[in-house]
Amino acid sequence: MKRRQFLKDTATFSMLPMAIGSFPLRTLKEGSIWHSLAAQATNTDHVLVVIELSGGNDGLNTILPIDQYSNLSQARNNVVIPQNKLLALTGYNNNGLHPSMTGMQTMFNEGKMQIIQNVGYNNQNFSHFRSSDIWLSASDSNEYYSTGFLGRYLNNEYPNFPVGYPNNNMPDPLGIQVGSFLSYAFQGPSSPMGTTISDPSYVYNATNGIQDPSPSNCAGSQLDYVRLVNNQASSYSKVIAAAANKVNSHSAYPANNELAEKLKVVSKLIKGGLKTRVYFVSLGGFDTHSNQTDKNDKTIGVHAQLLKTLSDAIKAFQTDLAYQGIEDRVMGMTISEFGRRIKSNDSQGTDHGSAAPLFTFGKNVDGGKIIGTNPVISASVGVEDNLPMEFDFRQVYASVLEDWFCLSKTDVQAVLQKPFNKLNVFKTSCNAVGVNSYKYSGQSLVSAYPNPFQNQFQVKFNSKGGLTEIDVMNLMGQVIHSVTNEYYDKGEYEKTIDASAWASGTYFVRIKQNELIQSVSVVKL
């Protein structure tokens, strides 16, 4: 049964979050049974940690172009950091970090952090909500995807999720966000592919026993849905708590640092043995329209404190990863929906802008390097002037997917919807390590071949007997083609799909049989 119908039938619910003590855990799997079995998940134990700087980080106040300092100080005379206060980066005399970022300076100089200049996208949208959607869905500015880039990646790796999950091969959440809300980045073709946690130390002691059978009516379907979400919440809460309770964190984490507390949880869960691929954390407050700096001392103020929080937390996290013996497996990156304008405003702040620097970090990142060039600052900067984009943010995503998560170029293009040139983010190309592939052993109802295809493809499906509905959806979640909607006897069937008029990109073939829903992605070249 669809979650949409469940919510319609139970109008008192607008959402169905599972709150387990102080451990809110959202699994909200719409109907929860729609990803078909494809290939085995990639053989890797690599982990990605995404740190979202919510609000739009001011890149020109984060890493400053010293060779442009004269014009920059003229354009930003009420917020610019004094040049003699900037932190030096080994090998880069024309760049300096904000003085609050001593931890990240050390990591860069030790070769464990990389800076990518002028990251953004074409036709910048300056709305927080829309620009965040673009970054989290990996769409163009004029495209509206119903899925997130992490959701599509995880769907590619675990296409039958959540059917049969958790299981012996993959007993853990696919993705985890430490916080109260699940990022849109985790949205899959039909359901969220991640879980949120606030307090992993809380163990949910579910009562085990025989439960009454569900009635064979609408209320019974609703009860089954509640039980599914509850059972997954129970299972995931136990493994998360068990993993966290195994590990003692390094003492390097600073006090009163909300990001450090989140990253401490991430380190515990990785060291504790979770097979979770992606972790997502957020730090808010970067929408610095006013009072960005102190009037009397530009090195302190709101933005300085945010950058100190970020820098201290990442440095402590990396120290802990090394202490736990897991830094080979983990890389991280920062994202933010946009940068800020070149010229500061009259409120001692900066307004929404376009491109900004992005940080990647980890032992296997090609650190101690700056990719890209310093932005050129004109001697006559207007209030609407922005930094031009040098790198599309999806080039960074492509680099992570192919060189860190070991996806093929075809799969990377399926996840990102378009080909993007990689950047040299890592020291070496992907080297999958010895962790068993995770594969769901249950029944697959639908498959498609050839995949990728050019003009047509075959849909092969199993009928359990009864009404079978098969549709093809685009990334916006719209049904673009109806394959069949009729009764079939039990058996195996095949349909030929003419897709010659379709645009290139990724599509999802979705099958519905009674309460069972699965889908598989196909790519048109």
Side-chain angles (χ1 to χ4, degrees):
M1 188 187 83
K2 289 186 178 180
R3 181 172 67 93
R4 188 178 298 108
Q5 185 62 42
F6 169 79
L7 298 180
K8 179 180 178 182
D9 291 340
T10 55
T12 56
F13 295 99
S14 60
M15 289 186 68
L16 190 63
M18 296 306 298
I20 306 172
S22 57
F23 190 115
L25 191 151
R26 291 169 175 79
T27 50
L28 297 191
K29 311 297 188 284
E30 179 183 314
S32 280
I33 317 160
W34 41 81
H35 298 297
S36 72
L37 178 63
Q40 291 184 349
T42 310
N43 184 22
T44 180
D45 69 349
H46 287 174
V47 175
L48 168 67
V49 179
V50 180
I51 302 175
E52 180 184 38
L53 311 181
S54 183
N57 180 46
D58 183 5
L60 285 174
N61 199 49
T62 302
I63 174 169
L64 283 73
I66 294 175
D67 58 347
Q68 306 289 314
Y69 189 83
S70 177
N71 290 342
L72 181 67
S73 60
Q74 182 177 328
R76 297 183 149 217
N77 64 327
N78 59 345
V79 299
V80 70
I81 306 296
Q83 185 175 342
N84 63 354
K85 299 292 186 180
L86 298 178
L87 300 178
L89 297 174
T90 301
Y92 293 90
N93 295 328
N94 287 328
N95 300 91
L97 279 181
H98 190 286
S100 295
M101 303 176 71
T102 54
M104 290 171 70
Q105 177 202 29
T106 299
M107 289 179 63
F108 183 92
N109 292 339
E110 289 178 347
K112 293 185 178 181
M113 176 161 285
Q114 181 188 82
I115 300 170
I116 306 174
Q117 292 272 46
N118 311 312
V119 181
Y121 57 87
N122 289 321
N123 302 315
Q124 175 70 50
N125 187 297
F126 299 110
S127 160
H128 288 291
F129 298 107
R130 177 61 190 139
S131 194
S132 293
D133 280 353
I134 291 168
W135 273 78
L136 298 176
S137 67
S139 69
D140 285 342
S141 61
N142 62 345
E143 295 176 318
Y144 294 83
Y145 292 171
S146 63
T147 56
F149 80 101
L150 294 177
R152 295 197 299 276
Y153 160 64
L154 292 170
N155 179 73
N156 182 83
E157 296 293 278
Y158 306 97
N160 223 49
F161 181 84
V163 177
Y165 289 85
N167 57 47
N168 290 335
N169 286 329
M170 189 52 181
D172 310 321
L174 310 186
I176 289 177
Q177 176 152 359
V178 183
S180 299
F181 300 97
L182 189 65
S183 170
Y184 181 54
F186 283 112
Q187 179 61 44
S190 302
S191 69
M193 306 292 287
T195 295
T196 64
I197 61 172
S198 292
D199 183 4
S201 64
Y202 189 93
V203 180
Y204 175 54
N205 295 315
T207 300
N208 295 317
I210 300 173
Q211 59 186 18
D212 294 333
S214 304
S216 56
N217 53 28
C218 181
S221 298
Q222 295 165 7
L223 179 58
D224 285 340
Y225 180 74
V226 172
R227 284 174 173 171
L228 170 65
V229 176
N230 183 68
N231 289 339
Q232 284 197 329
S234 172
S235 298
Y236 284 153
S237 68
K238 289 177 181 178
V239 298
I240 290 170
N245 291 334
K246 289 180 184 177
V247 181
N248 292 319
S249 300
H250 193 277
S251 60
Y253 289 98
N256 302 316
N257 183 315
E258 61 172 297
L259 181 60
E261 288 301 311
K262 293 176 181 179
L263 292 177
K264 182 193 294 186
V265 169
V266 173
S267 177
K268 280 190 169 190
L269 298 183
I270 299 171
K271 176 62 177 178
L274 293 192
K275 295 178 180 178
T276 301
R277 291 279 183 94
V278 183
Y279 293 84
F280 196 103
V281 297
S282 291
L283 177 64
F286 286 88
D287 194 20
T288 51
H289 287 285
S290 60
N291 300 318
Q292 179 170 306
T293 62
D294 184 271
K295 290 183 178 180
N296 300 315
D297 183 354
K298 306 300 188 299
T299 65
I300 60 176
V302 172
H303 195 235
Q305 185 56 52
L306 288 168
L307 293 179
K308 178 175 173 56
T309 298
L310 174 70
S311 177
D312 290 353
I314 290 179
K315 179 62 171 67
F317 179 59
Q318 192 66 41
T319 299
D320 192 19
L321 294 178
Y323 170 76
Q324 305 291 355
I326 54 176
E327 65 173 342
D328 280 340
R329 296 178 48 213
V330 184
M331 68 86 57
M333 68 178 181
T334 64
I335 63 172
S336 192
E337 63 261 42
F338 43 61
R340 317 297 290 188
R341 300 284 169 89
I342 299 174
K343 190 174 181 62
S344 58
N345 60 35
D346 293 335
S347 300
Q348 195 132 0
T350 51
D351 298 324
H352 299 182
S354 54
L358 181 153
F359 295 88
T360 65
F361 61 91
K363 182 179 179 180
N364 288 312
V365 163
D366 193 12
K369 295 181 180 179
I370 297 177
I371 297 179
T373 59
N374 277 350
V376 176
I377 309 299
S378 167
S380 55
V381 176
V383 293
E384 299 295 327
D385 287 349
N386 264 302
L387 299 178
M389 178 194 79
E390 186 173 359
F391 301 108
D392 191 295
F393 70 98
R394 290 164 293 188
Q395 291 182 256
V396 184
Y397 292 177
S399 306
V400 172
L401 291 171
E402 184 172 339
D403 288 342
W404 187 245
F405 280 138
C406 313
L407 264 62
S408 67
K409 291 184 182 297
T410 300
D411 283 344
V412 172
Q413 185 170 336
V415 171
L416 297 181
Q417 284 300 281
K418 297 176 179 67
F420 291 95
N421 293 325
K422 294 187 304 176
L423 303 176
N424 295 322
V425 174
F426 302 96
K427 294 175 182 176
T428 60
S429 59
C430 185
N431 179 24
V433 294
V435 171
N436 291 331
S437 298
Y438 313 142
K439 183 177 180 181
Y440 171 59
S441 59
Q443 182 187 20
S444 172
L445 294 182
V446 64
S447 60
Y449 68 92
N451 192 9
F453 68 92
Q454 290 185 325
N455 292 316
Q456 66 179 31
F457 63 94
Q458 303 295 120
V459 172
K460 187 175 182 179
F461 62 96
N462 292 308
S463 171
K464 299 171 67 177
L467 182 64
T468 297
E469 179 183 351
I470 302 177
D471 298 310
V472 180
M473 302 183 302
N474 61 18
L475 274 176
M476 278 68 78
Q478 301 165 326
V479 174
I480 65 164
H481 180 75
S482 176
V483 178
T484 187
N485 186 12
E486 55 187 288
Y487 286 88
Y488 289 85
D489 293 332
K490 186 176 181 180
E492 191 173 272
Y493 299 87
E494 214 169 282
K495 293 281 187 178
T496 300
I497 308 301
D498 180 6
S500 56
W502 301 0
S504 61
T506 298
Y507 298 87
F508 299 99
V509 180
R510 179 183 62 185
I511 184 171
K512 299 180 185 179
Q513 288 186 6
N514 300 320
E515 80 286 354
L516 192 63
I517 308 174
Q518 295 180 5
S519 70
V520 62
S521 61
V522 292
V523 178
K524 181 176 181 182
L525 299 177

